[in-house]
Amino acid sequence: MLDFFSIFSKGGIVLWCYTFQGVKANFTEPINALIKTVLLQERGGNSQFTHGPLQMQYKLDNEFELVFVVGFQKVLTLLYVDKLITDVHRDFRDRYRKKLLDSSLAWITVNFNYDNQFSLLRSNAEVKESNKVTTMRTFDKSGKSQKTIKSMTIDKNKDPKEVETKKKPSTPKAKKPVEVAPANIPVEGPTNGTTVANNSTDMDQIARNREAMSKRMATGKGAGKGKKTSQKKGKSARIWENGGNSKDAEALDYSGLQNEPLTNGHGEENNITDEQVKSLQIFIELSTCVVLLPIQKSSGGLFSMFRGLVGSKALSKEALQPVLDSMSDHLIGKNVAADIAQKMCDSVSNKLEGKILGTFSTIASTVKQSLNESLVQILTPKRRVDILRDVLEAQRAGKPYVITFCGVNGVGKSTNLAKICFWLMENGFRVLIAACDTFRAGAVEQLRTHKTRLHTLHPPSMHGGRDGVCLFEKGYGKDAAGIAMQAINAAKEQRYDVVLVDTAGRMQDNEPLMRSLAKLITVNTPDLVLFVGEALVGNEAVDQLVKFNQALADYSNSEKPRTIDGIVLTKFDTIDDKVGAAISMTYTTGQPIVFVGTGQSYPDLRSLNAKAVVHALLK
């Protein structure tokens, strides 16, 4: 059973909405979630969207900028939804076109009466789908019912090989004709002259066939022997095509034909007759008349001259597919994950299908422009991530601002933590570093070295006589969640503004370490969870982010588990124009890239420029 069906324009005008009987829920929230998450974020590659217990299926009409949405409970399996939404799309767009041509958009302010036609289309779709359902065969119609009890019993005294040979279906072999010697065979029944004549004819034919066979066998043996004794021929000279030889010289010599009339390479039989010349002149005159026909003057006023500049060709999937395939290969070559590239191309296809192509526009340029807009929209954060403002708000609340760093091994979590610490100290904040990597040897010493260097760059005199940075560590082999909690409490007592929690690097498949990370985030509830990933990965970025998010959700005990809030992309200076990892990570999580690491020194930290990344991706 369907819950609702709604038709609205991309501009936000609801043209028609139908709520089924017995459904009291308000569907404004799920439709708004569809618009914000899918339509505005350019994620239209899949035609389905799930919001809580509700499953929605939508279809876009790019020619008239319409959106068709149908919603039903996701526990139901409704097979007629695809046909229903297609039929409604075809019928409604025809009515919409007629209304646009008849009443010049004045009818849009009035609710569109479409209930009766929708009920008819829904009933037709349900009936056709119910007719497709096949009933299960009865036992009498199955192959097992044809077997007897004797065929299913096993005799232990018989050889199993014999049983197997009996089970194998015997394929009838083609019988070879057997030659029978002539003999006096008594024939039953009435014999007459015709029968005897036929038998004698058959015997003569068999004798002739035997003689022909013996001759062929004899000639075959002789030919084989002759081939063995024959000598090999030497290598023959190559004859070039149209090359000519000495025999052709006489035929090609025209020097002696001085008195003969010139025929311009054609013989007398090829001369054009007068009738052919007349017909050719008539054809030329007719073709000239066709070309020089006067163009009828159209009455359209000043803007009639621009009517030819507007294209009338609607884009189809068949026309877009070759360009999208090449664009997908280009994105994969730029380090975008393969499934992400395919989803983006599908989204562009759904966005452009049915649109009118301009006269001076090509399909390739249209696809590239649409993909450019989609990529910029994906990289643009859908929520505000302003760490400095959040730190000031935490100061007013009298608590430190907590940032947790997580990621796989070797991506540069500790180094980029030190860069962010330097950036915060440059903005006048005091930072406490919590060494919660109790698994890797040398992790605490690495943070202690960073702390010493940062303390040298920012002495206490720059922070009112207090230390600008401090390291909180409890050694190795301890509980990371407990160390983080102690560090946050110490930051409150000593009035530090920011707490940076360093965690151990772990692979996304390591369940014990993922449980430990989920426990740390659940117990301490940090303000920001940053995933640190390197820009060198391709398809692996999707797997890392999906499994990190899934582990944080599965191993958390809270009702609303915390997942990744932002991304720090490291080693961005080593990839040249292969910036596809930024697209893969942002598309997978929907979270923004907060920082980009561009070097090995502390100031080498930048914010992401979405337009520059897209330009490098599409060039």
Side-chain angles (χ1 to χ4, degrees):
M1 176 182 175
L2 301 178
D3 287 359
F4 71 92
F5 199 111
S6 179
I7 304 173
F8 55 91
S9 67
K10 292 184 179 180
I13 301 174
V14 180
L15 302 177
W16 177 79
C17 185
Y18 187 85
T19 305
F20 291 84
Q21 294 182 356
V23 179
K24 299 180 180 179
N26 187 10
F27 302 109
T28 305
E29 182 180 352
I31 291 180
N32 288 336
L34 171 68
I35 295 172
K36 293 178 182 178
T37 308
V38 178
L39 301 182
L40 295 181
Q41 292 294 322
E42 302 291 345
R43 299 171 184 266
N46 189 9
S47 61
Q48 295 181 352
F49 177 71
T50 303
H51 181 77
L54 200 64
Q55 178 80 19
M56 286 181 285
Q57 191 163 337
Y58 63 92
K59 189 176 182 66
L60 304 179
D61 187 289
N62 297 306
E63 183 178 357
F64 296 105
E65 301 291 333
L66 300 178
V67 183
F68 299 80
V69 184
V70 57
F72 53 93
Q73 298 296 319
K74 64 181 181 181
V75 296
L76 302 177
T77 304
L78 303 179
L79 302 178
Y80 64 90
V81 173
D82 292 334
K83 177 173 176 52
L84 175 63
I85 198 169
T86 303
D87 294 344
V88 172
H89 169 243
R90 291 175 180 173
D91 185 75
F92 189 87
R93 72 193 303 269
D94 294 338
R95 295 168 179 262
Y96 188 81
R97 182 191 293 110
K98 292 179 182 178
K99 288 287 185 179
L100 288 176
L101 296 175
D102 294 343
S103 53
S104 301
L105 299 176
W107 64 276
I108 289 184
T109 57
V110 185
N111 190 17
F112 197 88
N113 187 11
Y114 194 68
D115 295 353
N116 297 331
Q117 183 65 19
F118 174 76
S119 300
L120 180 61
L121 293 174
R122 181 170 64 90
S123 60
N124 292 338
E126 290 177 351
V127 169
K128 288 185 179 180
E129 192 61 39
S130 61
N131 293 335
K132 290 182 182 179
V133 178
T134 58
T135 57
M136 190 170 60
R137 290 185 304 172
T138 60
F139 178 76
D140 297 334
K141 295 180 180 179
S142 63
K144 189 176 288 187
S145 64
Q146 307 299 328
K147 294 182 179 180
T148 60
I149 299 176
K150 185 177 181 181
S151 64
M152 291 187 287
T153 56
I154 300 174
D155 192 357
K156 296 182 179 180
N157 298 325
K158 288 186 177 181
D159 190 5
K161 293 184 178 179
E162 295 180 1
V163 177
E164 290 181 0
T165 54
K166 287 182 180 180
K167 288 183 179 179
K168 291 182 180 178
S170 59
T171 56
K173 296 182 179 179
K175 295 182 179 179
K176 296 181 179 179
V178 181
E179 297 179 356
V180 183
N184 296 324
I185 301 173
V187 181
E188 296 180 359
T191 58
N192 49 22
T194 306
T195 307
V196 175
N198 290 338
N199 290 334
S200 62
T201 304
D202 293 340
M203 294 305 175
D204 295 340
Q205 184 66 31
I206 291 172
R208 285 194 296 271
N209 292 342
R210 284 181 176 178
E211 291 179 4
M213 176 64 73
S214 61
K215 288 181 181 179
R216 283 198 299 270
M217 295 293 290
T219 55
K221 291 178 181 179
K225 291 179 180 178
K227 288 181 181 177
K228 290 181 181 178
T229 57
S230 62
Q231 297 180 356
K232 295 183 179 179
K233 294 183 179 180
K235 187 176 180 180
S236 59
R238 176 178 293 181
I239 299 175
W240 297 96
E241 186 179 358
N242 297 329
N245 50 26
S246 58
K247 297 180 180 179
D248 300 332
E250 297 179 359
L252 297 173
D253 187 9
Y254 295 100
S255 57
L257 304 176
Q258 296 179 357
N259 299 325
E260 294 185 7
L262 296 176
T263 58
N264 198 17
H266 299 281
E268 294 181 358
E269 67 275 8
N270 292 332
N271 289 337
I272 301 175
T273 60
D274 295 339
E275 296 180 357
Q276 293 176 345
V277 172
K278 290 181 180 180
S279 62
L280 183 62
Q281 290 177 352
I282 295 172
F283 174 75
I284 293 173
E285 291 176 1
L286 289 174
S287 61
T288 308
C289 293
V290 171
V291 173
L292 298 178
L293 280 175
I295 301 174
Q296 293 182 357
K297 196 172 183 180
S298 60
S299 60
L302 177 63
F303 296 99
S304 61
M305 60 183 297
F306 299 105
R307 191 170 298 168
L309 301 180
V310 181
S312 59
K313 181 182 179 181
L315 293 175
S316 61
K317 276 191 176 182
E318 290 76 13
L320 292 170
Q321 196 60 42
V323 182
L324 291 174
D325 291 341
S326 61
M327 191 63 69
S328 177
D329 296 339
H330 176 78
L331 292 176
I332 294 173
K334 293 288 187 176
N335 219 12
V336 180
D339 55 344
I340 302 297
Q342 187 61 43
K343 288 179 181 178
M344 293 174 60
C345 290
D346 292 342
S347 176
V348 172
S349 176
N350 293 337
K351 182 180 178 182
L352 293 180
E353 185 183 1
K355 276 197 171 183
I356 303 300
L357 185 65
T359 305
F360 299 107
S361 299
T362 61
I363 297 177
S365 62
T366 305
V367 169
K368 187 174 182 180
Q369 182 182 359
S370 178
L371 188 61
N372 190 350
E373 296 173 357
S374 301
L375 292 173
V376 172
Q377 188 65 37
I378 289 170
L379 290 175
T380 303
K382 63 181 181 181
R383 68 181 186 87
R384 180 186 62 85
V385 180
D386 193 344
I387 296 179
L388 298 180
R389 181 179 294 180
D390 294 340
V391 171
L392 292 175
E393 291 179 358
Q395 274 185 344
R396 298 189 192 99
K399 62 178 183 179
Y401 187 79
V402 183
I403 304 176
T404 300
F405 295 81
C406 63
V408 300
N409 307 80
V411 294
K413 290 185 299 300
S414 302
T415 304
N416 284 272
L417 181 145
K419 290 180 183 181
I420 294 175
C421 179
F422 175 78
W423 174 69
L424 291 170
M425 294 172 69
E426 287 286 325
N427 286 277
F429 299 111
R430 299 177 66 229
V431 183
L432 177 68
I433 301 175
C436 296
D437 185 358
T438 62
F439 185 78
R440 177 174 63 92
V444 178
E445 288 76 11
Q446 182 183 5
L447 291 177
R448 188 179 293 120
T449 303
H450 283 302
K451 177 253 179 184
T452 304
R453 295 187 62 187
L454 291 171
H455 188 75
T456 305
L457 295 173
H458 281 267
S461 59
M462 298 178 63
H463 297 276
R466 296 181 296 176
D467 291 336
V469 59
C470 181
L471 177 65
F472 187 91
E473 52 95 6
K474 292 293 182 180
Y476 297 98
K478 305 293 192 308
D479 183 24
I483 295 175
M485 180 179 290
Q486 295 176 21
I488 294 171
N489 294 331
K492 288 181 181 178
E493 295 175 358
Q494 302 175 20
R495 295 185 178 180
Y496 280 93
D497 301 319
V498 183
V499 177
L500 302 180
V501 181
D502 184 32
T503 61
R506 64 207 75 207
M507 295 305 294
Q508 61 269 22
D509 299 323
N510 194 331
E511 182 179 344
L513 290 179
M514 294 305 298
R515 286 183 179 274
S516 174
L517 179 63
K519 177 185 175 183
L520 186 149
I521 294 175
T522 303
V523 170
N524 297 285
T525 61
D527 298 288
L528 188 66
V529 179
L530 294 179
F531 177 85
V532 184
E534 60 182 4
L536 302 173
V537 296
N539 295 328
E540 185 68 14
V542 179
D543 186 60
Q544 290 174 5
L545 283 164
V546 168
K547 290 187 176 179
F548 260 83
N549 264 334
Q550 190 65 36
L552 293 179
D554 292 344
Y555 303 142
S556 177
N557 297 325
S558 60
E559 296 180 357
K560 295 182 179 180
R562 287 289 303 278
T563 55
I564 294 170
D565 299 321
I567 300 169
V568 178
L569 204 58
T570 65
K571 306 175 186 178
F572 206 73
D573 56 319
T574 63
I575 57 172
D576 194 19
D577 60 345
K578 298 184 182 298
V579 294
I583 298 293
S584 300
M585 292 183 177
T586 309
Y587 192 95
T588 303
T589 60
Q591 303 300 335
I593 296 177
V594 183
F595 295 110
V596 174
T598 58
Q600 298 181 3
S601 60
Y602 291 132
D604 293 333
L605 195 69
R606 301 286 185 273
S607 59
L608 185 70
N609 188 347
K611 293 184 178 179
V613 171
V614 173
H615 176 72
L617 196 64
L618 296 180
K619 74 176 182 179

